[in-house]
């Protein structure tokens, strides 16, 4: 869980502050406003499937603002519909720069993970990089690990080794119970990449 409970207070506060401006067509739409309130209640309670059903219906009917589109993307992420999560989060993230780093970090994480799960490693890299800027110190290890994997899967062994080594250092600096297997895995990956790099450096070069 990447500090998603933070969104609970954000949603509930934002609901009463900005509700009148969120839906462009408002006259006679009291029922839709109540549906939006229910959707946000579900979302803040981490009932993402129920929130998704309501927000998706409202999205078909209205032009939702970027934050609500981000919530919809988060719902798709938690429902493992990664292609739709990418569609919504990629579209609204550029419009969320005014939001707090903590909140933006949640969206960066979900978008990066969605691209990663789809095997879209090139697209995931800049999102993990943005996540790395705003995440907490004890979260850096996971982000660096995924950056290392992205570079590994896109054929950049040197960058992969550097990110994985940095990830290993973070895991050791912020030990978490149950992560020993991950640490062992990374250690083996780094050794393999370093050995491969060393062999490449020692390979004879031929000139015409």
């Amino acid at each position: 869980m990447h500090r998603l409970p933070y969104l609970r207070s954000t949603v509930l506060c934002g609901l009463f502050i900005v509700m009148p401006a969120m839906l462009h067509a408002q006259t006679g739409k009291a029922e839709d406003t109540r549906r939006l309130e229910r959707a946000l209640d579900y979302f803040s309670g981490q009932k993402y499937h129920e929130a998704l059903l309501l927000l998706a219906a409202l999205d078909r009917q209205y032009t939702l603002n970027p934050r609500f589109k981000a919530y919809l993307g988060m719902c798709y992420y938690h429902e493992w519909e990664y292609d739709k999560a990418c569609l919504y989060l990629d579209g609204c993230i550029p419009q969320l720069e005014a939001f707090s780093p903590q909140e933006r970090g949640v969206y960066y994480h979900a978008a990066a993970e969605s691209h990663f799960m789809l095997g879209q490693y090139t697209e995931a890299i800049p999102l993990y990089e943005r996540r790395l800027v705003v995440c907490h110190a004890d979260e850096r290890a996971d982000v660096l690990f995924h950056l290392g994997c992205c570079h590994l899967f896109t054929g950049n062994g040197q960058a992969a080794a550097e990110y994985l080594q940095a990830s290993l250092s973070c895991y050791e600096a912020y030990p978490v119970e149950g992560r020993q297997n991950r640490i062992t895995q990374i250690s083996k990956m780094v050794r393999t990449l370093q050995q491969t790099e060393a062999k490449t450096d020692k390979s004879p070069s031929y000139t015409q």
Side-chain angles (χ1 to χ4, degrees):
M1 189 65 63
H2 291 262
R3 289 181 168 80
L4 285 175
Y6 163 77
L7 292 180
R8 184 179 184 88
S9 59
T10 300
V11 174
L12 294 178
C13 291
L15 172 62
F16 296 106
I17 295 172
V18 298
M19 175 69 74
M22 290 308 176
L23 300 180
H24 292 306
Q26 296 167 343
T27 305
K29 301 299 182 181
E31 177 56 33
D32 289 334
T33 300
R34 286 192 289 272
R35 288 165 63 199
L36 181 58
E37 291 175 352
R38 290 200 304 275
L40 297 184
D41 282 340
Y42 284 133
F43 185 86
S44 65
Q46 300 180 26
K47 295 181 178 180
Y48 298 110
H49 179 74
E50 292 83 351
L52 173 60
L53 296 177
L54 292 169
L55 285 172
L58 289 167
D59 185 54
R60 289 191 294 268
Q61 189 173 356
Y62 298 97
T63 301
L64 300 182
N65 80 346
R67 173 173 267 154
F68 283 14
K69 286 184 177 291
Y71 293 167
L72 189 48
M74 291 297 299
C75 290
Y76 281 121
Y77 166 70
H78 285 286
E79 288 293 296
W80 307 309
E81 296 189 50
Y82 298 120
D83 54 341
K84 292 181 179 178
C86 290
L87 178 66
Y88 277 90
L89 290 169
D90 289 353
C92 67
I93 279 176
Q95 304 174 63
L96 306 179
E97 290 301 320
F99 292 7
S100 73
Q102 189 173 6
E103 183 175 357
R104 283 185 285 119
V106 174
Y107 304 138
Y108 297 154
H109 170 79
E113 290 285 290
S114 296
H115 281 294
F116 190 92
M117 295 301 294
L118 292 171
Q120 299 170 352
Y121 306 114
T122 300
E123 291 82 356
I125 287 173
L127 291 160
Y128 281 123
E129 290 174 340
R130 296 175 80 172
R131 169 74 171 144
L132 191 63
V133 173
V134 300
C135 72
H136 293 260
D138 60 347
E139 297 171 326
R140 290 178 61 84
D142 281 336
V143 182
L144 290 165
F145 172 74
H146 282 90
L147 274 168
C149 289
C150 286
H151 283 288
L152 179 63
F153 298 151
T154 54
N156 190 342
Q158 182 177 351
E162 291 172 357
Y163 276 113
L164 290 171
Q165 183 61 59
S167 173
L168 184 60
S169 298
C170 286
Y171 277 123
E172 292 172 343
Y174 297 93
V176 177
E177 186 178 356
R179 289 300 177 90
Q180 188 55 49
N181 288 340
R182 170 65 61 85
I183 291 173
T184 301
Q185 175 192 13
I186 296 173
S187 298
K188 291 179 179 178
M189 293 172 71
V190 171
R191 283 198 301 271
T192 300
L193 287 166
Q194 290 174 340
Q195 291 168 0
T196 301
E197 188 71 20
K199 289 179 181 178
T200 301
D201 291 341
K202 292 179 180 179
S203 297
S205 59
Y206 296 95
T207 56
Q208 295 295 330

